[in-house]
Amino acid sequence: MTDYTLIIGNKNYSSWSLRPWLAMTVARIPFREVLLPIREGSWDRDIGKYSPSRRVPVLQHGDVTVWDSLAIVEYLAERHPETRLWPAEAPARALARSATAEMHSSFSALRRHMPMNLRASLPGRGRKDGVAADIARIVELWGDCRARADGAGPFLFGAFSAADAFFAPVVTRFQTYAVELPDEAAAYRDAVLALPALIDWYGSARSEPWTIGEDEVD
Ligand SMILES: N[C@@H](CCC(=O)N[C@@H](CS)C(=O)NCC(=O)O)C(=O)O
């Protein structure tokens, strides 16, 4: 039995859901998963029962409800310090939190024009205004993190951290839209794509029957 319930949206499209799901799965924090297909079936009736913001993801823990992906990961990092969701050293932790917060609040062109869509293969698509600048900033940021990582390993700060969970949906976009990357960024992308938990999420996404028209780039 687990104390946590994580309510998520469609695995094919819900990039915000992927973040805490991946963090919890890689960190081996057990949870019960409830998947509500976005704007399908009883969504309108059910979402308000779970989420005050009417958005996913949401974490339920006893009588505590945490909505918003970043708040969820912070809540878990505080409760499970042994999982090292944030790097151990303060300077690396500050950088990890800055990078994660930047991911959470920025890159609107990339998010708008290259929506997460794990089933799709759309090489070269989505290269609209602002996207190249977002990609360049992400590559720069990944390089800064890798340069100041405080441990060994292929992730942004060596060992897997919350920052990797937050950039995982960017990695999947780079894969879907075949974004060319410099070697170091490509190696990081490949390390994230090789995470068994992400491979598992992809498998579920591929078998989902739902389509969100506005997230399908033509
Ligand atoms: N800032 C929120 C964003 C959550 C969000 O926008 N979730 C989308 C799914 S990825 C959603 O619930 N959409 C519902 C809708 O479009 O009606 C977070 O970080 O969790």
Side-chain angles (χ1 to χ4, degrees):
M1 242 331 246
T2 167
D3 292 345
Y4 295 117
T5 301
L6 184 68
I7 296 105
I8 59 172
N10 315 27
K11 291 188 175 179
N12 189 58
Y13 301 106
S14 186
S15 59
W16 294 113
S17 299
L18 169 57
R19 293 170 166 105
W21 186 97
L22 191 64
M24 293 180 86
T25 306
V26 175
R28 297 180 194 278
I29 300 170
F31 64 98
R32 187 170 76 91
E33 172 185 312
V34 173
L35 192 154
L36 295 185
I38 295 171
R39 288 180 247 131
E40 289 277 342
S42 56
W43 166 270
D44 278 340
R45 196 179 62 231
D46 291 343
I47 186 63
K49 290 185 217 156
Y50 290 106
S51 174
S53 65
R54 301 187 66 82
R55 290 180 179 266
V56 284
V58 185
L59 182 75
Q60 292 178 334
H61 179 226
D63 57 6
V64 174
T65 298
V66 190
W67 66 96
D68 193 286
S69 54
L70 188 50
I72 293 170
V73 167
E74 288 288 11
Y75 182 75
L76 293 167
E78 203 176 285
R79 290 187 44 90
H80 301 275
E82 74 289 353
T83 61
R84 289 275 156 82
L85 277 170
W86 295 117
E89 300 300 323
R93 197 161 61 244
L95 180 56
R97 280 205 162 101
S98 300
T100 301
E102 187 172 343
M103 175 67 255
H104 191 250
S105 62
S106 310
F107 311 123
S108 56
L110 180 91
R111 298 212 309 251
R112 183 173 331 114
H113 299 301
M114 289 186 177
M116 186 169 102
N117 186 346
L118 302 185
R119 288 192 295 256
S121 174
L122 299 160
R125 313 286 261 285
R127 306 299 201 276
K128 301 276 172 57
D129 279 358
V131 170
D134 280 355
I135 293 170
R137 171 62 191 142
I138 288 164
V139 167
E140 176 184 58
L141 187 52
W142 287 359
D144 288 348
C145 295
R146 293 281 305 153
R148 287 160 66 184
D150 66 359
F155 298 107
L156 290 178
F157 292 89
F160 181 89
S161 74
D164 302 299
F166 269 77
F167 281 100
V170 170
V171 163
T172 74
R173 285 168 161 101
F174 287 176
Q175 180 76 351
T176 298
Y177 299 91
V179 172
E180 283 198 23
L181 295 172
D183 289 351
E184 191 185 34
Y188 171 65
R189 173 201 62 204
D190 294 345
V192 173
L193 289 173
L195 279 167
L198 186 57
I199 292 169
D200 184 58
W201 174 284
Y202 258 93
S204 305
R206 287 198 181 97
S207 61
E208 288 178 348
W210 315 287
T211 299
I212 299 181
E214 71 198 44
D215 287 347
E216 291 290 332
V217 167
D218 41 43

